[in-house]
Amino acid sequence: MSLPQLEYCQARTVEEALELWAKKTKARYLAGGTDLLPQLRAASGTQLTLVDLKQIESLAKIGQAEDGAVSIGAAASVAAVAANATVRKRYPILSDCCLSLGSYPLRNRATVVGNICNASPCADTAAALLALDAIVVATSTKAKRRIPMVDFFQGPGESCLQAGELVEEILLPQATAGGRGHYGRIARRKSVDISTVAVLLSVLPKGQPRHRLSLLSVAPTPLRVFEAEAVLDERGPEGASQAAEIARASCTPISDVRASAEYRRDMVAVLTERGVMTLAQSMGG
Amino acid sequence: MSAERKTRIVGRSVAKSDGMELACGAPLFCEDQLPPGCLHARVLRSSYAHARIVSLDVAPAEQLEGVAAVLHHGNVPRVMRTTAGQGAPEPSPYDFTTFDSKLRYVGDRVAAVAAETPELARQALGLIQLEVEQLPAIIDAHKAQAPGAVVIHDEPDARVVIPVTYEPQRNLVAHVDFQVGDVEKGLAAADASFDREYSCHYAQHAPIEPHCALAEPLANGRLRITTSTQVPFHVRRIVAQALQWPVSRIRVIKPRIGGGFGAKQEVLIEDLVAFLAVRSGRPVFLRLSRAEEFNSRTRHPMHIRLRTSVSAKGELKSVDMNVLSNTGAYGCHGLTVVCNCGSKVLPLYRWDDIRFWADVVYTNGPVAGAYRGYGATQAAFAMEVQMDEMARALGIDPVQFRLQNHIRSGETSPVFQALGEGGEGVAQNIGSNGLAKCLRQAAKEFGWRRRPRRQSKAILRRGQGMACLMQGSSIPEVDMGAASIKMNEDGSFNLLVGATDLGTGSDTILAQIAAEVLGVEMAQILVTSSDTDLTPFDVGAYASSTTYLSGEAVRKAAKTVAGQIRKVAANILGLPVRKLSLAEGQVVAADGQSLTLARIGASSLYEKDQNQIGAFASHTTQKSPPPFSAHFAEVEVDTETGLVRVLDYVAAVDCGTAINPALAEGQVEGAVANGLGYALIEEIKLDERGRLRNGSFREYKIPSTLDLPKIRVILVPTYEASGPYGAKSVSEIGINGPLPAIANAIFDAVGVRLRQAPFTPEKILAALKAAEQESS
């Protein structure tokens, strides 16, 4: 692999990372690097500084935060999040989505925060984080802000982060704990493959709405379908096909080498309905 | 016929001789051996499917500091030849030269650069100014012969060097047509007849190691080429041809290589490093990028129309197979792959009338070449799906239907005589044939027709399918393998073979054969293979030939050496030679006296009647005994998503004697995995301008272990009298099974016939929808 001219720096604190970024003409934050390094191949020839976040102790944490929330630090690997006892107990749908990403070695390296910052329409963890009303905590030299997950994605590869802004952590609120879900994911093979289309339907024990429907790979960004959620809240499993139709209508997939737009739309409906039925069965049983 | 004898090392799963060093990461591959001061090469490739070069300015690249040589059509001699690594004269057309002024596919060579670093070489490519006149491109094989179609090979010097049909002015690479009996009459007269069309697609071999080669100019004016190839001796000959050098000035060495699957039965880059090394006077290394590897060679996409007829009792009557094969921009392997469609598929069953006719056409698509299965994969798909359809139409169990119609030991097929490597073939009677046993044992192991079936209304539906297969073992009266053995004073032996181990384990099994004959342990056999200066000739690793052909050469050489050893021992012991035999590292006399081989070796080299014990042997064959195989698959089709899950797979194979059962099973498992990928997910897709849409592992997926069912392999032993210790081939046959077995299982599950591979979810849903509309 041929890379552009790289300068590599290790930051020890968040402040140092922000400063390093500001000092350099062109810098990128580096966590797992599983998205960043392949992207750098395309940037061949340009001068670039990588600011590595992995040595910042505070960012490696997965654990309790204020207000009963659970914090996922920017350097926490996808595998660590998937295996974390608190996550598995309180947010099992996040654990499920994590385990669909890449492969064992990739999950050991990749981070949940990186998966979000890459802002791919097929980011597996985004399906769960959207459903859980996660909060993205971003810091810059000027301020710290909390961005609701639903406002985070702007387009393919685009998030609402400002230049130099660093995501320190993602907060999983107490209010959405205890949900269960069905992650329907169609891909060409079972590992190291992005989804052709994926649908996460989850049900929370409390909160408004109780049903959460997230779609991947069928729009410029990961998507929540609030209208379908309302239907399911109101009608329960009987609203399955209506919700499926709403979901189908609300996505805007493209045709590419993996599948046609038409197939993706149809599968959004199929997987939505399947999610409703599976959850209804498991609750009844 | 010699009876099956009890063997000591043949038939045992001894450890692969290079396994430990490979597992420990020893520097055994081409790229591990770059000398100091080695230059790195890169290739500028066409981004046009069809264009003529108007001007090419390489001066800015040549002037870049660190660039040692730039090659292009203006400074490399034009020598028409083929890249196909086949015996001479090659059956592939001479339609290729190192660089041409015309570009015939996206990826065709424009220029090559050698520079101090790969980065500099790439930078130099960017400085080359290319101006072209774009020409209309043919992407669809059906349009290649349309009236007024653009001529892809309009150069006057494109030609064939064996007497076969070649009409480049019509984009026709090859045409084959033979008939035995009267097919039209036979089709019309029978109780039932079938007429269907099938298609297979582009796919890539995806070896873990891409093509790479190192050329080093030697002080004596020679050139040493270390290359990841299946055909070192053909590389020597074809590079000599390109350079217009005598063969004697070139030495080719094949180190350990990371897979080939046919992609490396091609002299694809060795000419470039050779020219660059000669021009620069320095060592030059080239490794293709993965993107280039995806566009290096592919499987021939084919359209097959298959017509058959059968009596009400289930006796096959007539067959008419018509193939349109797309060889892409160059004709390497075009003729021989299409001949294999007939010769490795039609003899499997007894037919009264047979017609096989085929056109191979040029297009401006990726260049097709050799790929495991070599045409048999595509044709077996058509045949075995149609066999299933026939059996069902007649109400006969598909296994029974095959048992009723397959060729038997002692029988022949007119196809053997009619179809060879382009011209006529070689008549042969079937020797060993374990197909009936394969069918019965695999059906039993699989539980054929004894599995619970899901309700036909369920969303997830299960089905079972099966297929029968044959291949060959080497090319009769064409291929040659040779071996030499010499004895050392400690009773060890150097075994030198031209045969090419491409990860298959041939070094190991050839050593097993030598050890068996010489009565020694594996450690006593030191194998050197694939070095054109040191080892005897061998055509290389293709056409499922190494075990059968090179193995017999080793056995013959070892037998001669064993005779020499007994003679020396007879002199020492004062006993007649016939009373002596070799066992456990000793020569043993009938009266109980014995001599160690070390004693004999030392005596022959240092003491008395000093003489190097050693021998050469070569082997050719008049036969290509087919291995036979029966595959069974169970699938689960998701009728809402179109996804197919392969739940179970059983492959029984008659490869004669398995010299090393573990390696033979590995070949079958690998071939089945390879075939499942081809059946379900692997497909190179082109856009309308002939560019690859998925030329990377990000978008072109091959199955991972998680996607594979448990593949159960049954080796059904038979004894092929013409092979070493009764062995036949095993490496290719297994890839032919998954396409038809999965297609038949899908039909069993959901009642739709898929005749266009691969069986993607969208195709399955479309077929289900069409079936639903038809029935309502």
Side-chain angles (χ1 to χ4, degrees):
Chain A
M1 184 163 86
S2 161
L3 291 170
Q5 301 216 308
L6 287 178
E7 190 192 350
Y8 170 84
C9 324
Q10 250 176 21
R12 296 282 160 186
T13 62
V14 171
E15 293 67 33
E16 194 191 346
L18 294 170
E19 274 165 33
L20 279 167
W21 195 96
K23 258 196 340 220
K24 304 294 177 181
T25 24
K26 193 160 181 253
R28 297 285 303 268
Y29 293 120
L30 169 71
T34 55
D35 284 315
L36 184 58
L37 265 82
Q39 286 166 14
L40 291 183
R41 260 196 277 196
S44 173
T46 50
Q47 173 77 41
L48 188 71
T49 304
L50 295 183
V51 180
D52 191 348
L53 309 176
K54 284 194 292 292
Q55 303 306 316
I56 304 176
E57 221 168 279
S58 61
L59 297 190
K61 265 196 327 212
I62 308 168
Q64 291 296 331
E66 57 196 36
D67 302 331
V70 170
S71 157
I72 294 169
S77 75
V78 174
V81 173
N84 182 275
T86 311
V87 172
R88 287 176 60 181
K89 190 165 164 241
R90 295 179 59 186
Y91 308 101
I93 57 172
L94 177 58
S95 190
D96 286 353
C97 289
C98 283
L99 291 174
S100 296
L101 187 146
S103 60
Y104 286 100
L106 214 68
R107 291 195 290 273
N108 284 334
R109 193 79 199 166
T111 62
V112 170
V113 168
N115 192 225
I116 297 306
C117 291
N118 190 48
S120 161
C122 64
D124 283 293
T125 64
L129 296 173
L130 276 171
L132 296 169
D133 294 333
I135 304 289
V136 179
V137 180
T139 309
S140 70
T141 44
K142 297 184 194 84
K144 190 179 253 199
R145 60 178 179 138
R146 295 159 66 92
I147 309 162
M149 203 63 231
V150 71
D151 299 329
F152 186 76
F153 299 115
Q154 307 276 301
E158 276 175 56
S159 69
C160 66
L161 291 175
Q162 313 271 311
E165 216 172 1
L166 169 67
V167 174
E168 274 191 65
E169 60 179 343
I170 295 175
L171 296 172
L172 308 173
Q174 162 101 65
T176 55
R180 298 183 314 108
H182 175 265
Y183 189 40
R185 185 183 195 272
I186 293 177
R188 292 157 299 184
R189 72 172 176 202
K190 286 183 186 152
S191 72
V192 209
D193 194 8
I194 55 178
S195 61
T196 305
V197 46
V199 174
L200 173 69
L201 180 74
S202 39
V203 192
L204 306 182
K206 53 185 193 289
Q208 249 329 313
R210 282 188 62 206
H211 288 86
R212 307 282 167 113
L213 182 63
S214 328
L215 313 181
L216 299 180
S217 302
V218 290
T221 66
L223 205 64
R224 274 274 299 269
V225 192
F226 298 103
E227 203 188 326
E229 294 172 1
V231 166
L232 290 170
D233 272 5
E234 195 185 311
R235 297 184 55 201
E238 280 176 12
S241 59
Q242 193 191 346
E245 284 316 306
I246 293 168
R248 182 210 297 270
S250 58
C251 65
T252 52
I254 55 164
S255 290
D256 63 13
V257 76
R258 282 173 284 150
S260 67
E262 192 190 3
Y263 178 75
R264 287 191 163 99
R265 246 183 245 114
D266 288 347
M267 290 310 106
V268 162
V270 165
L271 295 176
T272 301
E273 207 160 338
R274 200 170 272 190
V276 176
M277 294 311 163
T278 310
L279 286 182
Q281 271 166 22
S282 70
M283 289 197 181
Chain B
M1 185 187 289
S2 62
E4 290 165 62
R5 275 195 305 119
K6 197 159 164 51
T7 51
R8 214 169 31 86
I9 290 181
V10 159
R12 245 175 61 199
S13 296
V14 303
K16 211 156 166 271
S17 56
D18 53 354
M20 188 55 83
E21 43 187 3
L22 287 173
C24 293
L28 303 171
F29 295 91
C30 182
E31 197 165 356
D32 294 321
Q33 292 162 33
L34 306 194
C38 184
L39 297 170
H40 294 265
R42 302 286 295 182
V43 184
L44 181 65
R45 297 187 179 275
S46 172
S47 46
Y48 311 97
H50 201 189
R52 209 174 289 284
I53 296 178
V54 175
S55 73
L56 183 67
D57 181 10
V58 299
E62 286 172 330
Q63 283 150 20
L64 182 71
E65 176 84 27
V67 169
V70 182
L71 302 178
H72 53 91
H73 71 95
N75 66 8
V76 172
R78 182 180 181 89
V79 179
M80 294 306 282
R81 56 190 172 85
T82 177
T83 56
Q86 301 176 300
E90 302 95 333
S92 296
Y94 278 20
D95 59 1
F96 180 85
T97 180
T98 308
F99 291 98
D100 202 352
S101 55
K102 198 179 178 198
L103 309 172
R104 297 183 180 84
Y105 72 105
V106 175
D108 211 350
R109 296 170 172 185
V110 176
V113 170
E116 298 294 338
T117 65
E119 290 73 25
L120 272 172
R122 186 182 302 108
Q123 201 186 332
L125 294 186
L127 299 173
I128 295 173
Q129 301 292 317
L130 171 68
E131 198 187 316
V132 302
E133 174 205 349
Q134 286 205 59
L135 301 168
I138 302 169
I139 304 301
D140 180 353
H142 292 287
K143 293 183 181 153
Q145 291 186 283
V150 68
V151 178
I152 295 170
H153 283 273
D154 53 353
E155 68 277 22
D157 46 359
R159 62 185 192 278
V160 281
V161 291
I162 62 167
V164 290
T165 305
Y166 179 60
E167 296 172 17
Q169 63 281 6
R170 297 202 294 128
N171 293 323
L172 184 70
V173 180
H175 176 73
V176 181
D177 192 347
F178 91 86
Q179 180 160 203
V180 179
D182 188 335
V183 163
E184 291 304 331
K185 217 169 125 191
L187 287 169
D191 297 332
S193 65
F194 299 81
D195 180 356
R196 302 291 188 197
E197 288 181 36
Y198 306 83
S199 70
C200 289
H201 50 291
Y202 278 118
Q204 223 274 323
H205 314 65
I208 194 165
E209 177 197 38
H211 287 80
C212 55
L214 163 70
E216 298 166 272
L218 304 178
N220 57 10
R222 298 181 76 213
L223 196 61
R224 180 169 63 207
I225 302 174
T226 307
T227 175
S228 181
T229 184
Q230 296 173 224
V231 287
F233 286 88
H234 296 333
V235 169
R236 180 176 68 168
R237 189 188 78 245
I238 291 172
V239 170
Q241 182 184 23
L243 291 173
Q244 297 172 302
W245 279 17
V247 159
S248 61
R249 283 182 67 189
I250 297 168
R251 175 180 184 182
V252 176
I253 298 167
K254 179 223 63 114
R256 306 325 294 172
I257 81 171
F261 311 102
K264 294 173 184 170
Q265 193 199 337
E266 201 82 32
V267 185
L268 197 69
I269 61 169
E270 291 89 345
D271 59 331
L272 293 178
V273 286
F275 268 113
L276 288 166
V278 170
R279 284 291 158 85
S280 64
R282 291 178 52 188
V284 177
F285 174 71
L286 173 61
R287 168 172 35 87
L288 294 189
S289 68
R290 187 52 71 175
E292 289 177 300
E293 187 66 30
F294 268 104
N295 207 0
S296 61
R297 288 294 179 263
T298 64
R299 187 183 290 286
H300 286 80
M302 290 185 188
H303 292 264
I304 300 176
R305 183 178 174 194
L306 182 63
R307 299 192 298 156
T308 54
S309 64
V310 60
S311 77
K313 283 191 208 151
E315 299 150 319
L316 293 175
K317 292 294 177 193
S318 301
V319 62
D320 175 20
M321 183 182 276
N322 177 224
V323 182
L324 174 66
S325 175
N326 174 4
T327 192
Y330 295 95
C332 39
H333 299 277
L335 170 63
T336 39
V337 161
V338 94
C339 285
N340 240 29
C341 292
S343 65
K344 300 292 185 281
V345 171
L346 296 175
L348 185 55
Y349 303 113
R350 301 146 149 176
W351 303 97
D352 293 344
D353 316 292
I354 302 175
R355 186 178 180 202
F356 177 79
W357 47 307
D359 281 339
V360 183
V361 296
Y362 284 125
T363 64
N364 297 107
V367 184
Y371 190 157
R372 193 182 212 173
Y374 206 80
T377 310
Q378 295 93 316
F381 168 47
M383 178 59 75
E384 292 302 307
V385 169
Q386 195 143 319
M387 285 292 286
D388 195 67
E389 200 166 343
M390 282 188 263
R392 283 172 180 274
L394 296 169
I396 303 175
D397 178 82
V399 173
Q400 198 52 47
F401 189 46
R402 265 97 170 172
L403 283 169
Q404 193 178 334
N405 285 291
H406 77 79
I407 193 167
R408 308 300 205 260
S409 188
E411 292 179 350
T412 187
S413 163
V415 179
F416 292 128
Q417 166 80 55
L419 270 183
E421 285 286 281
E424 283 205 348
V426 181
Q428 67 169 344
N429 286 324
I430 296 295
S432 60
N433 184 340
L435 182 56
K437 271 190 202 159
C438 287
L439 277 163
R440 293 200 176 97
Q441 286 188 29
K444 192 169 172 219
E445 171 73 23
F446 180 78
W448 177 247
R449 297 291 174 234
R450 285 201 309 277
R451 294 185 174 212
R453 306 284 293 280
R454 290 285 178 93
Q455 266 203 334
S456 65
K457 291 285 168 217
I459 291 168
L460 302 178
R461 293 181 215 164
R462 291 186 178 190
Q464 302 166 34
M466 54 83 55
C468 278
L469 313 165
M470 63 170 272
Q471 195 82 22
S473 304
S474 81
I475 309 168
E477 297 185 359
V478 172
D479 286 348
M480 197 275 266
S484 80
I485 298 177
K486 70 178 173 69
M487 187 181 186
N488 302 313
E489 66 260 46
D490 62 348
S492 66
F493 299 87
N494 293 108
L495 168 62
L496 281 73
V497 290
T500 310
D501 189 337
L502 57 148
T504 49
S506 68
D507 283 359
T508 307
I509 64 117
L510 295 176
Q512 282 181 262
I513 291 170
E516 183 70 45
V517 177
L518 295 166
V520 296
E521 291 304 314
M522 284 292 282
Q524 299 303 103
I525 307 289
L526 312 165
V527 182
T528 302
S529 61
S530 314
D531 179 332
T532 59
D533 267 14
L534 302 181
T535 65
F537 179 85
D538 192 292
V539 288
Y542 59 86
S544 287
S545 65
T546 303
T547 304
Y548 178 72
L549 198 76
S550 313
E552 183 61 13
V554 170
R555 199 188 63 84
K556 281 168 149 178
K559 275 201 85 126
T560 307
V561 169
Q564 294 172 4
I565 292 169
R566 286 160 67 216
K567 218 180 247 170
V568 174
N571 283 337
I572 296 174
L573 293 172
L575 289 168
V577 171
R578 67 187 151 77
K579 298 228 159 152
L580 303 174
S581 60
L582 273 65
E584 294 174 17
Q586 296 186 327
V587 175
V588 186
D591 64 3
Q593 288 190 76
S594 69
L595 277 175
T596 64
L597 292 189
R599 175 81 191 81
I600 294 165
S603 167
S604 72
L605 294 181
Y606 293 111
E607 294 166 15
K608 215 179 139 205
D609 301 330
Q610 280 157 275
N611 182 43
Q612 172 67 59
I613 292 175
F616 268 105
S618 307
H619 191 63
T620 60
T621 168
Q622 272 64 57
K623 291 186 74 173
S624 178
F628 294 97
S629 190
H631 286 204
F632 289 77
E634 183 179 33
V635 300
E636 183 175 78
V637 181
D638 185 327
T639 54
E640 288 182 343
T641 63
L643 290 168
V644 174
R645 201 151 67 96
V646 183
L647 302 173
D648 193 13
Y649 206 99
V650 174
V653 61
D654 152 28
C655 60
T657 300
I659 304 289
N660 186 315
L663 290 177
E665 283 167 13
Q667 284 287 342
V668 178
E669 286 168 10
V672 168
N674 205 172
L676 286 173
Y678 189 54
L680 292 169
I681 54 174
E682 291 186 43
E683 180 178 22
I684 288 180
K685 293 181 182 172
L686 304 180
D687 68 12
E688 70 288 350
R689 290 163 60 188
R691 294 173 303 192
L692 266 60
R693 293 177 66 208
N694 53 349
S696 77
F697 279 131
R698 185 180 164 83
E699 291 303 351
Y700 184 101
K701 295 296 177 185
I702 60 175
S704 73
T705 47
L706 294 178
D707 300 288
L708 297 172
K710 183 170 160 57
I711 299 166
R712 286 177 282 163
V713 178
I714 304 170
L715 299 177
V716 174
T718 62
Y719 193 89
E720 173 54 42
S722 66
Y725 292 99
K728 297 188 282 191
S729 81
V730 72
S731 58
E732 293 186 87
I733 184 168
I735 200 174
N736 306 334
L739 267 181
I742 298 296
N744 293 339
I746 291 171
F747 178 82
D748 189 48
V750 294
V752 297
R753 283 277 172 212
L754 293 176
R755 301 187 184 91
Q756 268 86 49
F759 317 129
T760 60
E762 287 189 74
K763 277 189 200 154
I764 289 169
L765 289 186
L768 286 169
K769 208 175 197 176
E772 204 172 291
Q773 277 166 359
E774 211 169 281
S775 68
S776 67

